[in-house]
Amino acid sequence: MTTGPQTPTGPEDPTGPADAAAPAGPAAATGTGGEPGAVTERRLHPLTPLRRAWVPIAATVGVLAQQGDRAARWMADLSTPMRLATLAAVILMFGVYGFLSWWFTHYAVTDTELRIRTGLLFRRTAHIRLDRLQAVDVTRPLPARLTGVASLRLDVIGTEEKDRLAFLGEQEAVALRAELLARAAGFAPEEAVRLGEAPQRELLRVTPRELAVSLVLSLGVWAALAGGIVAPFAVWAFTSSPWVAVAALLPMLGAVWAGTAGRFLTEYDWRVAESPDGLRLDHGMLDRAHETVPPGRVQTVRIVEPLLWRRFDRVRVELAVAGSKNEVLVPVASRAAAYAVIARVLPGVDLAGLSFSGSPDTGSRWVVPVWWKGYALAVSPEVFAARHGRLCRRTEIVPHAKVQSVRFTQGPWARARGVADVHVDTGANGTVTARLRAASSAARLLHEQAARSHTSRATARPDRWMTGSGPQE
């Protein structure tokens, strides 16, 4: 394969490594701007030791599973009082570990950072800069909901892993989230506390019935069910061993669960609301999640249209956000409702007005037989959009300002047929490809797209939290 020049389109997106969570020794309390002063350190919820105790419990269970026979013989040699004493000592050890882990964990909020200090023997202090926060999510697993606690999950630019505060009281978690977002937006500490949770306006809600119907109309769900039923019997017929069939059945059941009931539980009662700190996503039946799509950080929007969904004008909307794992914006909705939500993510973009042009007949049909008709391209003053797929059609939309580089590629067979591909790289380590374009058109598109992206990045607004007093109208 020959690869054309990679054309950078502007300054690099600030998503590289940063000191968002740098390890340090025991930190002295510092005040605003690093000046010596008092900083109020807070502890997590008193129920947190119960969660921390699961670490040694899991380790002990693993050791017992590995040394099961020896442990059983050792326990058999003990008298009943000694067994009870051993059990009490183990429970006490677990409890002490959880308590000490909780006791030596503190967090504090300053004008510039969130500081999380952990560790008994080996101290670690994470300094999370507020100006690099891009999402603060509140998650409520089922046990946490039953006990009135919640977990705070932090998305920071330049880090792969999310820092987490688990657990806080539900009201405390919501208040801390609001305070962090307000400070990240530039409000003074006293004003950030006073503002509290920002108001929101609901844009869309997916009913359980609509979600269930969408799963029934998904060919992938039926394929997973068919595979889960047929594969174990096929393995049994070839091997004549029921144990091998059971071993093949377990991963199949996991795939079926993830694509059907697991997805329904996760996307149950999906709500999208608009607030000054971005789009808020609330969803989940057992584990309730409260996530935020940070403004200005969306790199790519993907519209998914399965074959049977298209007959009912239903679509799914997915996102690629730099440094975040939030991928779904709308699990299922009518095209008009989905476009209305996307308009909040990509303001000024007329999705209905995009005019797609397919791949040329001459050459494309020989490079990718049958499926070549599924490729199409549309370019507007605001976005670069590429479409692919015939059974499940996917349309990927990239704002020009989010393009990091543009590449031209052409394999030997494509070169012989006079077609080429143009790849657009985004800040979320993703690529959107316009496949099977005429070679001359692709070369022209390469330079035109580089120029559009450079101009758009120079005039784009900075990525930061909104600071309005309420949802945009």
Side-chain angles (χ1 to χ4, degrees):
M1 176 182 289
T2 59
T3 303
Q6 178 171 321
T7 307
T9 61
E12 186 176 348
D13 193 74
T15 57
D19 57 342
T30 58
T32 303
E35 295 294 330
V39 171
T40 302
E41 289 194 335
R42 317 176 207 175
R43 285 196 175 92
L44 303 178
H45 194 275
L47 290 178
T48 303
L50 297 178
R51 171 182 178 270
R52 300 290 177 86
W54 280 105
V55 176
I57 290 175
T60 303
V61 170
V63 172
L64 292 178
Q66 185 178 9
Q67 305 289 337
D69 294 339
R70 183 179 300 178
R73 289 195 300 269
W74 180 77
M75 290 295 293
D77 294 337
L78 296 178
S79 62
T80 300
M82 286 300 297
R83 292 178 187 176
L84 295 176
T86 302
L87 179 61
V90 171
I91 294 176
L92 179 62
M93 179 183 65
F94 293 159
V96 169
Y97 173 86
F99 174 79
L100 292 178
S101 178
W102 167 76
W103 183 262
F104 287 95
T105 299
H106 304 82
Y107 71 94
V109 184
T110 71
D111 289 353
T112 59
E113 65 183 18
L114 169 65
R115 207 174 293 157
I116 305 175
R117 186 157 56 89
T118 58
L120 173 59
L121 300 178
F122 302 96
R123 307 303 298 272
R124 176 183 181 271
T125 302
H127 300 268
I128 302 172
R129 287 169 45 188
L130 298 181
D131 61 349
R132 299 189 70 82
L133 274 178
Q134 67 172 2
V136 183
D137 302 330
V138 177
T139 59
R140 299 179 178 91
L142 181 59
R145 293 172 65 187
L146 295 177
T147 54
V149 297
S151 174
L152 212 61
R153 192 174 54 191
L154 307 157
D155 263 342
V156 185
I157 299 173
T159 60
E160 294 293 335
E161 297 295 329
K162 296 184 179 182
D163 283 281
R164 184 186 295 267
L165 286 174
F167 287 98
L168 303 170
E170 286 191 1
Q171 293 184 353
E172 183 183 1
V174 172
L176 179 59
R177 175 189 179 276
E179 180 184 354
L180 292 175
L181 295 184
R183 293 200 186 192
F187 289 101
E190 298 79 7
E191 190 175 6
V193 175
R194 181 185 58 81
L195 287 174
E197 184 77 356
Q200 65 180 32
R201 178 171 65 90
E202 187 170 294
L203 300 177
L204 178 141
R205 181 190 177 193
V206 179
T207 63
R209 179 181 180 277
E210 189 172 14
L211 180 60
V213 170
S214 72
L215 293 176
V216 172
L217 295 177
S218 297
L219 295 179
V221 170
W222 291 106
L225 287 173
I229 295 173
V230 174
F233 288 101
V235 172
W236 193 356
F238 280 106
T239 63
S240 301
S241 172
W243 300 111
V244 176
V246 170
L249 176 63
L250 293 179
M252 289 291 182
L253 289 177
V256 171
W257 173 268
T260 55
R263 181 172 162 185
F264 181 83
L265 294 176
T266 300
E267 299 177 353
Y268 178 84
D269 192 27
W270 191 285
R271 300 167 186 254
V272 182
E274 186 181 33
S275 73
D277 48 46
L279 292 183
R280 295 180 182 173
L281 310 178
D282 285 279
H283 58 91
M285 177 183 289
L286 301 181
D287 296 348
R288 194 71 184 171
H290 179 106
E291 301 173 339
T292 305
V293 178
R297 299 297 300 169
V298 176
Q299 308 290 311
T300 306
V301 174
R302 183 184 300 108
I303 302 174
V304 183
E305 304 171 70
L307 179 63
L308 298 180
W309 288 24
R310 296 203 292 269
R311 297 179 59 87
F312 299 94
D313 197 34
R314 291 294 185 270
V315 301
R316 175 182 177 90
V317 183
E318 300 173 349
L319 301 175
V321 181
S324 176
K325 295 182 180 179
N326 295 349
E327 294 183 350
V328 180
L329 179 62
V330 178
V332 59
S334 66
R335 187 180 302 276
Y339 281 8
V341 174
I342 296 174
R344 299 296 182 177
V345 178
L346 304 177
V349 177
D350 180 15
L351 296 181
L354 291 178
S355 178
F356 285 87
S357 60
S359 301
D361 294 359
T362 56
S364 296
R365 66 173 69 244
W366 299 104
V367 178
V368 182
V370 180
W371 302 107
W372 65 273
K373 286 189 176 181
Y375 296 108
L377 171 69
V379 179
S380 75
E382 298 85 16
V383 296
F384 177 98
R387 175 180 291 168
H388 62 92
R390 299 196 67 180
L391 294 181
C392 183
R393 188 165 61 195
R394 290 176 170 83
T395 304
E396 297 179 297
I397 305 164
V398 183
H400 296 314
K402 301 302 180 182
V403 175
Q404 298 287 322
S405 62
V406 187
R407 295 178 288 118
F408 174 105
T409 61
Q410 188 180 43
W413 184 239
R415 185 166 60 253
R417 309 308 305 180
V419 294
D421 301 337
V422 176
H423 308 269
V424 168
D425 301 317
T426 69
N429 295 323
T431 300
V432 175
T433 303
R435 290 216 61 195
L436 304 178
R437 312 306 300 174
S440 58
S441 174
R444 184 169 58 254
L445 176 63
L446 174 76
H447 298 288
E448 291 177 350
Q449 181 59 41
R452 278 190 292 263
S453 300
H454 180 77
T455 303
S456 298
R457 289 174 68 87
T459 58
R461 294 183 300 176
D463 296 338
R464 65 169 298 159
W465 300 103
M466 304 180 202
T467 56
S469 58
Q472 294 178 341
E473 298 296 337

